[in-house]
Amino acid sequence: MSNIIELRDVWKRYDTGGEVVEALKDVHFHAEPGEFVSVMGPSGSGKSTMLNVLGLLDTPSEGTVLLDGQDVTDLSDREMTTQRKRFIGFIFQSFHLIPTLSALENVEVPTLFGDDPTARDRATELLERVGLGDRLDHRPDQLSGGQKQRVAIARALINEPQILLADEPTGNLDQETGRSVLDLFDEIRREDDVAVIAVTHDPQLSNYTDRTVELIDGRIQ
Amino acid sequence: MSPLDDLFRRVPALLMARRNLSRNRIRTSLAVLGIIIGVLAIASLGMFGTTLRAGATQQLGDIGNEISISPNLQEGVEELTDRDVDQIRRAVTDGSVVPVRSETLRVGRGDRQTVATVYGMENPGAIYEAEDGRVPDRLRKDALVGSGTATLLDVEPGNTISVDGRTYRVSAVLAQQQGLSLVNPNNAVVVPLDDVNGTGYSQVVVNAESGQAANESAVAIRESLNDREERVSVFELQTITSGINQFFGILNTFLIGIGSISLVVAGVSILNVMLMSTIERRQEIGVLRAVGVQRGDVVRMILAEAGLLGVTGGLIGAVLAVGAGVVLNAVVLNDPLSTFQAANFVYIFLAVVFGVGTSVLSGLYPAWKAANERPVEALRK
Ligand SMILES: Nc1ncnc2c1ncn2[C@@H]1O[C@H](COP(=O)(O)OP(=O)(O)O)[C@@H](O)[C@H]1O
Ligand SMILES: [Mg+2]
């Protein structure tokens, strides 16, 4: 099976006032559709940086990013945004829901700017799928942490992405809730053939993943 | 689905903007208040100018149609001759010419005596109207009494009065002249021309059909009578009215300028509010960008917020301005309905346009700043 996303010889350097930090050093990485990969490593090892490069939020200083076989390293901001919308769903540790919008509207956000007549139906279906069919009109502050993360997952899925990127998705949840979120990931990647790449410290995760990549000091071990 | 929901679905930037503004109601209200004050200031100061002008014009009366020709005393011309009057008649194409002779004489009725200006005129009907009685086309033997003198002497049409020893029957009491006048009848008596001593005329009044005709007549009279020497001075009341109009034009511009300053202040406050709210929402905007919202849409969203502030403030300001105009016109002109005239709506419209424009302009920088923030930076804590 071919890779949906791939990093080749990727370096990422940050110039912080004279001192250059190498956050990623010669990173090779790939993931296939339906694969569940976890990225582990100590704090500051470059996990978030790698996820950002994979998610077309950031560009590498050196190296190539291939998305669905296409070189997307040097796209313009506009094109990258379009590709992000098409291929990638993000899930963050602190959920990052928009507090003024209802659960349903939060799920619709990625479709909001653009003509998408079926978005509302899809958003409703997704919320039902993640078990929040009775919370459609609740604001984020009326939801628990686990429920918020479920809304965030539904939001990540609204545009039917092929890759789900999650940065410490269970970091703010208790073990029980964390497990139900991981079950959801497992279901998604099996049923929808989505590649799930999750950064985590959570030891539970290894029960779910196909593969674990370890980053130390910017290098894959 | 209500029309508003429909609009929000079609213009998502508006939906987001409205929700964002409802987040911090006090701050939003204060920003709107700034725009309200600015719009109210511009609109009501503009209307204030219109009202002042209307008030002043009302005071002056309908005098733009009259011109007065008098002898140029500086050139040694003591009075106007029949020849001058003929020349004036030829120069005036559209209007009536009233030669006037005047003296100050004793006027009385019974015991009551006073000293009044006495005008000798052949055709006073061209410039005066009766309040009581009738003003004849040609004044041959009767007298007309101004309203002030009539009150003083307790005169009604049909009474007899004596002017410098002669007796006249009074055929009319003249309507009080409100505005400025070249030959003010209020405290005067008008008698047939030949009854006032002298052969020449102290002035000639021309009452033209329109302001423009008056102006053309004045030009023609100057050309014809002042050809060789400055024989007469021609006085156009129109120059006063146009001067007054000009003055109020300047005053209006000045007032609106002052109003605009308050709008600039409102603009700065919106800039501040929008900047604060976009900085607070940095992460959210980062998330929007991460999930595929384009830069341009972020700009549109924030401009929509600024625009909503402006439209809300502008509309409330406009309503308040109409209210202020009604009160002002009721007090100054005694006519609240004169608020609803085209000139005022132009001011209100301009004020609202300025208000919305200022808001959107103030939103530009925050919008640009928010859209150009890299999502990775915004999402890093
Ligand atoms: N925008 C940045 N500017 C400077 N240094 C950065 C920036 N982002 C990350 N870094 C540095 O890169 C390294 C990796 O960071 P990060 O990817 O966030 O690590 P992790 O997610 O594994 O904790 C760290 O040393 C961090 O300080
Ligand atoms: Mg991290």
Side-chain angles (χ1 to χ4, degrees):
Chain A
M1 220 175 187
S2 63
N3 294 323
I4 181 72
I5 184 110
E6 188 175 348
L7 303 183
R8 285 185 190 159
D9 314 316
V10 164
W11 292 73
K12 182 68 187 181
R13 300 185 189 91
Y14 291 108
D15 196 351
T16 51
E19 203 196 343
V20 177
V21 177
E22 294 190 320
L24 294 177
K25 299 171 187 164
D26 195 27
V27 167
H28 289 254
F29 177 88
H30 62 90
E32 290 172 6
E35 204 178 7
F36 194 159
V37 186
S38 69
V39 181
M40 302 188 94
S43 176
S45 58
K47 304 181 296 294
S48 295
T49 305
M50 185 173 121
L51 219 56
N52 289 339
V53 173
L54 285 169
L56 308 187
L57 280 178
D58 213 347
T59 48
S61 314
E62 239 179 78
T64 314
V65 184
L66 295 171
L67 178 64
D68 200 20
Q70 274 195 307
D71 187 348
V72 292
T73 320
D74 297 317
L75 295 185
S76 69
D77 180 86
R78 190 181 179 76
E79 290 165 328
M80 277 209 191
T81 306
T82 307
Q83 296 299 333
R84 263 204 309 276
K85 183 170 176 178
R86 215 177 123 200
F87 282 95
I88 294 162
F90 277 100
I91 294 154
F92 307 92
Q93 179 175 357
S94 45
F95 326 126
H96 285 318
L97 299 180
I98 294 179
T100 50
L101 301 181
S102 69
L104 189 61
E105 287 166 338
N106 261 293
V107 176
E108 282 183 287
V109 158
T111 66
L112 218 48
F113 297 88
D115 194 20
D116 194 342
T118 65
R120 173 138 296 189
D121 296 337
R122 285 190 343 254
T124 313
E125 249 168 61
L126 279 168
L127 280 171
E128 280 163 2
R129 180 172 170 191
V130 300
L132 293 175
D134 54 347
R135 296 282 189 280
L136 299 182
D137 294 323
H138 286 54
R139 296 272 193 86
D141 57 7
Q142 298 165 319
L143 298 172
S144 71
Q147 289 171 329
K148 282 187 218 175
Q149 196 59 301
R150 283 158 185 278
V151 174
I153 292 169
R155 176 177 67 189
L157 294 176
I158 186 81
N159 282 325
E160 289 157 8
Q162 314 220 23
I163 306 160
L164 211 54
L165 300 175
D167 199 344
E168 311 206 19
T170 57
N172 280 352
L173 305 175
D174 60 58
Q175 205 174 359
E176 175 79 21
T177 319
R179 189 156 49 239
S180 70
V181 165
L182 291 174
D183 283 334
L184 197 54
F185 281 171
D186 197 46
E187 183 193 315
I188 291 160
R189 62 112 176 188
R190 271 190 285 110
E191 288 180 9
D192 304 339
D193 223 13
V194 173
V196 180
I197 303 165
V199 167
T200 186
H201 292 302
D202 190 347
Q204 298 190 82
L205 205 76
S206 44
N207 302 333
Y208 293 86
T209 53
D210 300 312
R211 189 150 62 86
T212 298
V213 169
E214 187 153 22
L215 260 184
I216 294 177
D217 200 16
R219 267 184 211 282
I220 288 186
Q221 301 303 299
Chain B
M1 201 188 285
S2 82
L4 202 63
D5 282 340
D6 195 40
L7 177 73
F8 283 150
R9 283 204 71 74
R10 221 166 310 163
V11 192
L14 271 184
L15 170 75
M16 298 291 279
R18 214 195 72 78
R19 296 291 173 83
N20 284 329
L21 291 174
S22 65
R23 211 177 282 210
N24 192 332
R25 284 169 203 275
I26 294 183
R27 193 165 67 188
T28 301
S29 312
L30 287 177
V32 169
L33 185 63
I35 293 293
I36 293 176
I37 293 173
V39 169
L40 181 61
I42 292 190
S44 54
L45 286 175
M47 291 195 290
F48 183 51
T50 315
T51 305
L52 279 185
R53 186 193 305 220
T57 315
Q58 212 176 51
Q59 289 296 310
L60 287 172
D62 184 22
I63 55 172
N65 298 358
E66 287 187 1
I67 58 180
S68 154
I69 302 100
S70 43
N72 188 351
L73 300 173
Q74 271 156 354
E75 289 285 319
V77 183
E78 298 278 338
E79 52 182 21
L80 300 174
T81 62
D82 285 326
R83 215 178 131 246
D84 293 329
V85 174
D86 283 344
Q87 268 183 298
I88 291 169
R89 285 217 162 90
R90 257 176 272 134
V92 175
T93 48
D94 216 5
S96 40
V97 176
V98 184
V100 183
R101 213 172 266 171
S102 65
E103 261 187 304
T104 305
L105 298 169
R106 292 192 74 78
V107 180
R109 174 172 177 250
D111 302 343
R112 301 184 184 223
Q113 295 285 324
T114 184
V115 174
T117 306
V118 177
Y119 295 122
M121 294 185 197
E122 243 173 14
N123 51 346
I127 53 177
Y128 297 143
E129 274 170 22
E131 178 175 287
D132 202 1
R134 206 181 67 83
V135 178
D137 287 342
R138 299 246 147 228
L139 196 59
R140 290 189 213 282
K141 44 185 213 303
D142 292 347
L144 312 172
V145 181
S147 59
T149 313
T151 313
L152 205 66
L153 300 180
D154 196 18
V155 172
E156 293 180 357
N159 294 154
T160 36
I161 57 168
S162 68
V163 176
D164 196 29
R166 277 188 240 231
T167 308
Y168 291 93
R169 202 184 74 90
V170 174
S171 69
V173 172
L174 296 174
Q176 183 164 3
Q177 201 120 353
Q178 292 287 4
L180 204 66
S181 167
L182 293 167
V183 271
N184 194 324
N186 293 353
N187 295 313
V189 174
V190 183
V191 298
L193 182 68
D194 292 335
D195 291 358
V196 177
N197 287 331
T199 49
Y201 307 96
S202 53
Q203 71 176 301
V204 176
V205 175
V206 176
N207 190 8
E209 292 295 315
S210 66
Q212 195 187 347
N215 187 255
E216 279 163 14
S217 300
V219 171
I221 291 164
R222 280 200 196 92
E223 242 169 48
S224 136
L225 276 86
N226 288 349
D227 194 21
R228 303 230 182 110
E229 46 163 0
E230 287 284 316
R231 206 180 139 62
V232 297
S233 45
V234 181
F235 182 66
E236 294 171 78
L237 278 176
Q238 211 185 12
T239 60
I240 298 182
T241 34
S242 68
I244 285 167
N245 273 335
Q246 208 172 7
F247 168 75
F248 280 110
I250 293 168
L251 186 69
N252 248 7
T253 316
F254 178 71
L255 289 176
I256 289 172
I258 291 177
S260 308
I261 293 174
S262 63
L263 206 51
V264 170
V265 174
V268 173
S269 111
I270 285 202
L271 178 68
N272 182 32
V273 163
M274 301 293 305
L275 212 51
M276 268 164 54
S277 98
T278 49
I279 287 170
E280 278 169 14
R281 278 164 24 210
R282 222 177 134 232
Q283 283 200 344
E284 261 169 54
I285 293 167
V287 172
L288 289 181
R289 299 279 288 117
V291 302
V293 173
Q294 294 284 0
R295 265 184 191 155
D297 290 322
V298 172
V299 169
R300 265 188 282 282
M301 184 179 86
I302 293 169
L303 287 185
E305 271 176 52
L308 269 184
L309 288 177
V311 169
T312 312
L315 290 184
I316 299 177
V319 170
L320 292 182
V322 170
V326 167
V327 171
L328 186 72
N329 283 305
V331 170
V332 177
L333 299 183
N334 225 340
D335 175 18
L337 288 185
S338 70
T339 312
F340 302 94
Q341 55 175 296
N344 284 345
F345 284 116
V346 169
Y347 286 126
I348 293 174
F349 177 75
L350 279 183
V352 172
V353 167
F354 273 21
V356 175
T358 309
S359 305
V360 172
L361 219 59
S362 308
L364 273 181
Y365 174 67
W368 177 84
K369 205 168 134 64
N372 279 295
E373 171 117 64
R374 283 164 25 93
V376 209
E377 298 300 325
L379 290 170
R380 256 163 66 96
K381 281 167 286 186

